[in-house]
Amino acid sequence: MGEGRVMAAKTMEPLRITGRMHGLMVEPERPIALDGILAWAMVERARMEGAEDPLAAQESLPLAFDKDRGVWKASWVFRRYESPLQTRQQTKKTDVPALLDGRNAEHWEGRVDSIATGTGMYKGAVLDCTYRQISEVSAWCIGDRERIEELLGMVHGLGSRRRQGFGRISGWTVEPDPEAENQWGQRALPDNPGGFLRSTGALSPPYWRQDRVQLIWTPITDQL
């Protein structure tokens, strides 16, 4: 991993990344991190190329690395709101085929003659989902512009329910920006640079792994 960072260091520059978004985006439960997006793209590309261990690809991102703090120099993704927070209800049907598969596989004890989907634990659900109208997302980093552009070309949406058309990205722009020298630090850090809030979470991808959760400091903002 260290070798990959040294080799890429010659092409690192301060960058601003902008994604054009048209439509609704589901409100994320946790902030979206730029290094997390790039890590997903790296792993996905390695998987398509038939790598023996695709997950290893996320250990060598086209980003500068802060060795003292143990984080990639990439900010969280900030959103430009075009509407207040909205709540809508969506229905979720009972997955009857999955229930039947479970019964046939004898995952249940005792005799089951029928499955009630109108009441009880197997009934359908009405879910409250929150959205916002978003016109643009942006982030800052110190990284390899060409490689980042290539990886972002694989990212066509952000947030959940992307298959339903939410969070659709119509295009990315990656351009030099001196402000990124400071702005990349708008992310989870192991220390408080001043004005950050104490929280818990991971400091680098993969963010979803619970064994990576620790005490962190996060920027104060309502645009994540």
Side-chain angles (χ1 to χ4, degrees):
M1 181 167 59
E3 181 182 355
R5 289 171 184 161
V6 172
M7 291 175 62
K10 296 180 180 180
T11 59
M12 299 295 169
E13 59 181 315
L15 301 169
R16 175 187 171 94
I17 292 154
T18 305
R20 296 179 296 279
M21 182 176 288
H22 305 286
L24 295 172
M25 178 179 175
V26 177
E27 192 76 358
E29 294 182 3
R30 300 185 68 87
I32 298 174
L34 176 61
D35 57 350
I37 296 174
L38 297 177
W40 172 87
M42 290 281 287
V43 171
E44 184 66 10
R45 186 173 65 179
R47 184 189 64 80
M48 292 187 296
E49 293 175 349
E52 183 176 344
D53 182 12
L55 292 177
Q58 64 190 320
E59 297 295 328
S60 184
L61 302 180
L63 296 167
F65 190 76
D66 187 325
K67 293 182 179 179
D68 293 333
R69 290 171 167 170
V71 298
W72 297 103
K73 292 188 177 182
S75 74
W76 280 346
V77 176
F78 293 81
R79 296 171 285 157
R80 177 179 293 177
Y81 303 145
E82 300 297 339
S83 76
L85 196 62
Q86 307 170 45
T87 300
R88 296 184 181 182
Q89 289 187 331
Q90 294 184 334
T91 59
K92 180 180 180 181
K93 295 182 179 180
T94 303
D95 191 347
V96 175
L99 295 179
L100 293 176
D101 288 342
R103 184 185 66 178
N104 295 335
E106 299 182 351
H107 291 164
W108 301 337
E109 295 182 1
R111 181 178 178 181
V112 179
D113 294 324
S114 63
I115 301 172
T117 60
T119 186
M121 63 184 296
Y122 299 120
K123 71 177 182 180
V126 177
L127 307 175
D128 288 331
C129 298
T130 53
Y131 311 85
R132 288 185 194 270
Q133 187 82 22
I134 307 294
S135 61
E136 180 181 284
V137 294
S138 57
W140 292 264
C141 70
I142 310 297
D144 184 323
R145 180 178 181 180
E146 184 176 338
R147 292 183 61 198
I148 289 173
E149 287 177 331
E150 178 184 351
L151 291 172
L152 289 177
M154 301 172 60
V155 181
H156 306 295
L158 297 177
S160 61
R161 301 183 184 274
R162 295 187 300 277
R163 292 184 180 180
Q164 300 176 20
F166 294 100
R168 182 174 60 86
I169 298 289
S170 60
W172 295 95
T173 300
V174 182
E175 54 191 350
D177 183 0
E179 291 294 320
E181 293 283 2
N182 295 316
Q183 289 295 94
W184 75 261
Q186 296 298 306
R187 53 156 298 133
L189 296 172
D191 52 13
N192 185 4
F196 276 38
L197 290 175
R198 192 176 185 183
S199 183
T200 58
L203 287 173
S204 61
Y207 286 100
W208 51 267
R209 282 183 44 174
Q210 291 300 308
D211 60 347
R212 300 175 66 84
V213 173
Q214 64 180 77
L215 290 176
I216 59 174
W217 293 85
T218 60
I220 303 173
T221 178
D222 63 350
Q223 292 188 303
L224 294 168

